[in-house]
Amino acid sequence: MRSTARTTTAVRALIGLGVAAGFALAAPAVALADPLGCARTPNGSGDTITCTAGIPAGQVLTGTAGGDIVTVTGGVLAGTVDTAGGNDRIQVTGTAGTTGAVGGPGGVGTSTHPAGFAGAAGSAGGVGGLAVASTGVINAGDGTDVVTVTGGAGGAGGSGGTGGTGILGGAGGAGGVGGAGGAGGLGSFGSVQGGLGMDTLTVTGGAGGTSGLGSAGGASGPSAGTGGVGGVGGAGGVGGIAVGSSGTVSGGDAIDTITVTGGVGAPGRAGGLGGCGHGGGAGGFGGVGGAGGIGSSGTVNGDAGNDIVKVVGGLGGLGGAAGKGGNGMDPGQIGGAGGGGGAGGAGGVGNSGSVSGGLGDDSVTVTGGKGGYGGTGGTGGTGCQPGAGGAGGAGGTLGAGGVGSSGTVVGGGGTDTIATTNGVSGGNGVIGIAGGNVLTCGC
């Protein structure tokens, strides 16, 4: 095996001979290494390249002249993906947010503290990761390419802990509040370029994380005390922005289809049941639905060609259903009121930046996200005759539809079709059913 020093000396000698003879010899080409965490295998047309740690700033992943399939996960794309020629497929996804911890249960009452202790609140879920950073570049190059960029999903919130049981004449402990869902991650702060060819570019904000359930209130002591109030359901995570303020999406030449959509807001989770007692505890309120993410606060441009450009705000999440009121424990004891349903999340704004069809006869559509529906009110608890049943809870209020555009929307050159529409609002939640009463009581 030849040493590096001997090989370098030989190359220099050849170059020297070429110069003496009146011509220059090119040094051998050196293939650049792929970024750490990337692996490639031939797929018959180009390469299949999988990167599981993102791509750091300043590093470049280069494809082949054929059809490459590139997948980037596990971290932010802060460097460059350049697939050059061929019909390529590029997919970049942000990391998911962490899961919140479950709240611990409340302790049982004691002789010196007869009331049950409240359950602990669940922790919030973590925010989803950014997919493409401000320094990140995706260049699909020539060919019919498909590029998909998605922000990371928000993490789930933890459920609240159950309320502790009272002893003697102590009240039941309140149920723990559910943790909020994490916000969805932003899709792109960087540059997404289709290049030459009929490209399909899709950028989506991360979905909001699921929230935690509100937990049940504890039962009261056997001689007196009301049941514990049910915990409030966690608020749904907010959807992520698809294209951030510094982000650009450009179709390039030819007929391109560009779709930019804000992340979906997660539904609020259900409130906890009211505890049984000498007077049932009230049901917990439903969690508020997460707002939908903004479609784009950056720049979206179809560029040359007859392009189809759609920018849409994210859907607002549904309001959570409320918890049922607790039952009366002994004769004459009333049932608890049902909780109120959670409000629906607002739909996301479609565009707060700049949207242009570019040159050519383009179809440009900008739409606000649809608002979420309010959650159903909780059913009233059952009374123990002659005690009355609890009242049904109010339904949650509707989420408003998002504004279509607070920014700029133009067609560019050519004969263009432009439509800017506000999102549709959701509906109010249904009122809960009132509880009845029974002869046979108990928890």
Side-chain angles (χ1 to χ4, degrees):
M1 181 166 80
R2 293 178 298 176
S3 69
T4 302
R6 293 178 60 187
T7 302
T8 303
T9 301
V11 170
R12 287 173 177 168
L14 284 171
I15 294 174
L17 288 173
V19 172
F23 61 89
L25 294 176
V30 179
L32 297 176
D34 288 336
L36 187 66
C38 297
R40 67 171 69 207
T41 56
N43 60 25
S45 173
D47 285 346
T48 296
I49 309 171
T50 302
C51 300
T52 56
I55 297 178
Q59 297 194 24
V60 179
L61 177 69
T62 304
T64 70
D68 301 310
I69 301 173
V70 178
T71 304
V72 180
T73 58
V76 181
L77 169 57
T80 298
V81 173
D82 189 346
T83 52
N87 301 331
D88 306 307
R89 302 290 183 269
I90 303 171
Q91 182 170 326
V92 182
T93 307
T95 56
T98 55
T99 300
V102 175
V108 176
T110 65
S111 58
T112 56
H113 188 286
F117 293 86
S123 299
V127 177
L130 169 66
V132 180
S134 59
T135 57
V137 176
I138 298 175
N139 181 16
D142 297 351
T144 301
D145 308 305
V146 177
V147 179
T148 304
V149 175
T150 309
S159 295
T162 55
T165 302
I167 65 169
L168 304 175
V177 176
L186 194 142
S188 177
F189 262 132
S191 174
V192 179
Q193 307 166 15
L196 296 174
M198 298 174 62
D199 306 310
T200 301
L201 310 180
T202 304
V203 183
T204 308
T210 303
S211 56
L213 293 165
S215 285
S220 71
S223 60
T226 58
V229 176
V232 178
V238 175
I241 299 171
V243 178
S245 56
S246 64
T248 61
V249 180
S250 176
D253 294 346
I255 301 174
D256 305 305
T257 300
I258 300 175
T259 305
V260 173
T261 308
V264 176
R269 294 299 293 277
L273 302 175
C276 181
H278 297 271
F285 280 69
V288 176
I294 296 172
S296 175
S297 59
T299 301
V300 179
N301 185 5
D303 223 334
N306 301 334
D307 305 307
I308 299 173
V309 180
K310 296 180 180 179
V311 179
V312 185
L315 297 174
L318 304 175
K324 175 184 176 296
N327 296 334
M329 183 180 290
D330 291 331
Q333 301 300 326
I334 62 173
V349 174
N351 166 60
S352 61
S354 174
V355 178
S356 172
L359 298 175
D361 300 336
D362 307 305
S363 172
V364 180
T365 304
V366 178
T367 310
K370 183 178 179 180
Y373 282 79
T376 301
T379 301
T382 302
C384 186
Q385 289 187 2
T397 56
L398 58 83
V403 173
S405 179
S406 59
T408 302
V409 181
V410 297
T415 303
D416 306 305
T417 302
I418 303 174
T420 301
T421 309
N422 293 336
V424 178
S425 297
N428 292 321
V430 177
I431 299 173
I433 300 170
N437 56 14
V438 295
L439 285 171
T440 304
C441 311
C443 300

